[in-house]
């Protein structure tokens, strides 16, 4: 009887009893008792857990932020703690939630963990969804940034509760200031990757994610999956005084952009550029020089690598492959300067004009760099 009763005591009650027994009459732990050792170690444990959940201050703020994010990817416990103090960007079926601080500006809405919990609870969710949050990075203010897709909740109800609007990424990306668009596009790309990587390609079994969402694992085949991007080569081709732009039939009316194409397996960037330009416009390029890169979320996470290239002035005759491009043309400096001044795409019924990719796009940067190079070489003559 008594044995059965003692078995029914919960482990926490047992711990409490042991705890009480170990205290001396003065209320202190006896030196050498396990509880005494635990009590002595407590400040150290607190210090270590503080170090785990905050960027270290020993290095430059950039270095400590990068190391912090890396630690959160590897340490589930630290990541869970960072979520509590972090900011969360909400998405609904991959559309980001934006707010309008004023009539002209859009910005991604950042919430605290408790704000999101309140919104979820108000809409009848138990808050366990927060575990689905995916780490995006760390702000300059040392705050971990996460994204969360609340696609299973009613869109209008979340918008009302959170005082924002879910906007399709294709629109949102260009409404946001160039500095904020990459954060949203990275969040969307990560969420999309998780939504489409739920099963292992080798075993067909479900995959499990780590807390940060930086990888997925299949315990059946022991495969680790990481978020992936397709490499795309972009070239602004010049003949020395003009630059070459093309348009696909799917582009909005009047939009011309730099030539681009997905890299094939095993290709170098240079090989991909030469092949794409040959395929699309029938020219051979040379003097390839790298400019810069960007993550491009459309249609699904590409890693854009932007370059400048030259064709020999004797070989500028285009042979456009119309199965890929609707048109490709050489543009003079004057034409490009005029096109760069177009601030918004033409509306229906407006006279036809040539316009160029917006500032957020790498192609825009390549075109502006080309203009600068032309101006410099003209100035130097
Ligand atoms: N950010 C920027 O400034 C620019 C971005 N882009 C982007 O670059 C991407 C590629 O340019 P495109 O001229 O369309 O490429 P492309 O000339 O290689 O043609 C696209 C076709 O390539 C095939 N393809 C081969 N590998 C593929 C892969 N990994 N994923 C998807 N399709 C693949 C498909 O049949 C597809 O229809 C597009 O998503 C476009 O939006 C293009 C120009 C500038
Ligand atoms: Mg192409």
């Amino acid at each position: 009887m008594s044995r059965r009763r003692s078995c029914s005591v919960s482990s926490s009650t047992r711990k409490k009893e042991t705890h009480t027994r170990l205290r001396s009459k003065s209320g202190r732990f006896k030196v050498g008792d396990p509880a005494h050792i635990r009590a002595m170690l407590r400040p150290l444990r607190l210090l270590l857990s503080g170090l785990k959940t905050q960027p270290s201050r020993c290095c430059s703020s950039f270095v400590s932020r990068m190391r912090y994010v890396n630690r959160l990817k590897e340490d589930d416990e630290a990541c869970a703690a960072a979520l509590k103090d972090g900011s969360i960007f909400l998405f609904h079926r991959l559309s980001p939630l934006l707010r309008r601080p004023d009539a002209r500006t859009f910005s991604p809405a950042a919430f605290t963990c408790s704000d999101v919990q309140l919104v979820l609870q108000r809409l009848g969710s138990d808050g366990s969804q927060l575990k689905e949050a995916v780490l995006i990075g760390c702000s300059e203010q040392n705050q971990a940034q996460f994204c969360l897709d609340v696609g299973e909740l009613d869109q209008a109800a979340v918008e009302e509760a959170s005082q924002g609007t879910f906007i399709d990424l294709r629109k949102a990306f260009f409404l946001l200031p160039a500095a904020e668009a990459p954060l949203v596009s990275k969040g969307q790309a990560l969420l999309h990757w998780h939504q489409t990587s739920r099963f292992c390609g080798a075993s067909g079994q479900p995959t499990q994610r780590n807390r940060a969402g930086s990888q997925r694992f299949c315990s059946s085949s022991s495969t680790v999956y990481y978020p992936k991007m397709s490499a795309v080569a972009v070239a602004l081709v010049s003949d020395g005084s003009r630059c070459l732009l093309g348009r696909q039939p799917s582009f909005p009316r009047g939009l011309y952009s730099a030539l681009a194409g997905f890299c094939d397996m095993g290709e170098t960037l240079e090989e991909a550029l030469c092949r794409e330009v040959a395929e699309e416009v029938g020219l051979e390029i040379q003097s390839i020089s790298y400019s810069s890169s960007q993550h491009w979320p459309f249609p699904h996470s590409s890693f854009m690598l932007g370059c400048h290239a030259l064709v020999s002035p004797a070989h500028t005759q285009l042979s456009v492959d119309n199965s890929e491009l609707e048109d490709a043309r050489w543009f003079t400096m004057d034409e490009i300067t005029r096109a760069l001044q177009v601030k918004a795409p033409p509306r229906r019924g407006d006279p036809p004009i040539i316009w160029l990719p917006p500032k957020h796009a790498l192609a825009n940067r390549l075109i502006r760099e080309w203009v600068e190079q032309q101006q410099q070489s003209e100035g130097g003559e």
Side-chain angles (χ1 to χ4, degrees):
M1 190 69 179
S2 68
R3 195 186 290 163
R4 209 179 297 148
R5 203 178 294 140
S6 75
C7 283
S8 69
V9 176
S10 74
S11 71
S12 69
T13 318
R14 246 185 279 131
K15 263 189 210 148
K16 222 183 271 167
E17 281 176 355
T18 324
H19 207 94
T20 322
R21 263 189 276 122
L22 284 169
R23 281 172 190 258
S24 69
K25 274 185 191 155
S26 66
R28 289 167 188 252
F29 297 115
K30 285 184 190 157
V31 177
D33 286 335
H36 174 253
I37 295 168
R38 275 203 300 278
M40 296 291 285
L41 289 176
R42 198 161 173 266
L44 185 63
R45 275 211 319 271
L46 283 176
L47 179 71
L48 286 174
S49 77
L51 288 176
K52 261 185 178 179
T53 56
Q54 273 170 13
S56 114
R57 304 201 185 283
C58 67
C59 329
S60 79
S61 68
F62 176 76
V63 172
S64 65
R65 266 189 291 131
M66 295 307 110
R67 289 186 174 171
Y68 175 56
V69 171
N70 200 32
R71 198 162 63 240
L72 299 187
K73 288 182 188 172
E74 283 163 11
D75 185 335
D76 286 356
E77 210 183 297
C79 190
L83 177 66
K84 287 194 183 128
D85 302 327
S87 48
I88 304 178
F89 297 90
L90 292 184
F91 290 73
H92 192 275
R93 301 200 180 146
L94 299 176
S95 294
L97 186 82
L98 302 192
R99 278 190 182 146
R100 290 190 90 157
D102 57 66
R104 282 189 181 180
T105 330
F106 284 86
S107 76
F111 295 88
T112 62
C113 188
S114 46
D115 282 347
V116 173
Q117 221 147 11
L118 277 178
V119 171
L120 294 177
Q121 277 161 8
R122 235 204 274 176
L123 299 178
S125 163
D126 63 359
S128 60
Q129 252 170 308
L130 269 167
K131 280 197 185 134
E132 300 294 316
V134 175
L135 178 70
I136 309 178
C138 176
S139 72
E140 284 185 17
Q141 292 71 41
N142 293 333
Q143 201 175 32
Q145 297 163 312
F146 294 83
C147 51
L148 176 68
D149 198 308
V150 291
E152 65 279 12
L153 299 178
D154 180 65
Q155 179 175 337
V158 184
E159 287 178 338
E160 200 194 324
S162 57
Q163 294 173 339
T165 313
F166 290 108
I167 298 181
D168 181 77
L169 186 73
R170 281 206 178 257
K171 237 182 179 183
F173 190 75
F174 299 107
L175 287 172
L176 289 169
E180 288 180 334
L183 178 86
V184 167
S185 88
K186 184 176 173 185
Q188 195 258 14
L190 283 164
L191 291 169
H192 178 262
W193 178 74
H194 279 284
Q195 290 173 12
T196 53
S197 309
R198 295 196 194 283
F199 293 91
C200 171
S203 70
Q205 296 299 311
T207 54
Q208 270 78 45
R209 49 168 281 186
N210 65 344
R211 200 68 167 77
S214 59
Q215 54 177 255
R216 297 188 76 92
F217 180 66
C218 171
S219 49
S220 178
S221 68
S222 298
T223 313
V224 184
Y225 291 95
Y226 296 97
K228 63 172 192 294
M229 307 183 278
S230 301
V232 174
V234 196
L236 190 72
V237 179
S238 168
D239 70 350
S241 62
R242 299 173 299 170
C243 75
L244 179 61
L245 303 177
R247 54 173 277 110
Q248 295 180 5
S250 59
F251 283 11
R253 196 163 55 102
L255 174 69
Y256 278 76
S257 184
L259 303 186
F262 289 95
C263 297
D264 280 349
M265 186 66 83
E267 259 180 349
T268 63
L269 171 60
E270 291 80 359
E271 285 165 349
L273 286 171
C274 291
R275 177 184 52 74
E276 279 295 333
V277 175
E279 278 175 13
E280 296 189 352
V281 295
L283 294 178
E284 286 190 37
I285 53 170
Q286 59 203 20
S287 312
I288 294 171
S289 60
Y290 172 75
S291 158
S292 44
S293 64
Q294 82 169 152
H295 170 249
W296 191 243
F298 315 113
H300 302 306
S301 271
S302 294
F303 178 43
M304 315 290 309
L305 296 148
C307 293
H308 292 274
L310 281 174
V311 289
S312 137
H315 297 99
T316 58
Q317 182 63 44
L318 302 175
S319 151
V320 179
D321 177 354
N322 290 118
S323 66
E324 298 219 23
L325 294 179
E326 185 181 88
D327 187 28
R329 293 191 221 165
W330 289 106
F331 288 83
T332 63
M333 194 38 191
D334 279 353
E335 287 171 315
I336 293 293
T337 314
R338 263 201 307 278
L340 280 172
Q341 279 158 9
V342 176
K343 292 284 171 271
R347 295 203 197 139
R348 198 172 287 188
D350 283 355
I353 45 159
I354 303 287
W355 57 291
L356 301 173
K359 277 191 182 151
H360 298 58
L362 181 56
N364 180 288
R365 179 179 179 146
L366 293 174
I367 294 166
R368 285 178 189 276
E369 282 174 355
W370 178 79
V371 169
E372 272 168 32
Q373 282 162 17
Q374 294 299 111
Q375 285 166 344
Q376 276 166 14
S377 56
E378 274 168 24
E381 274 169 13

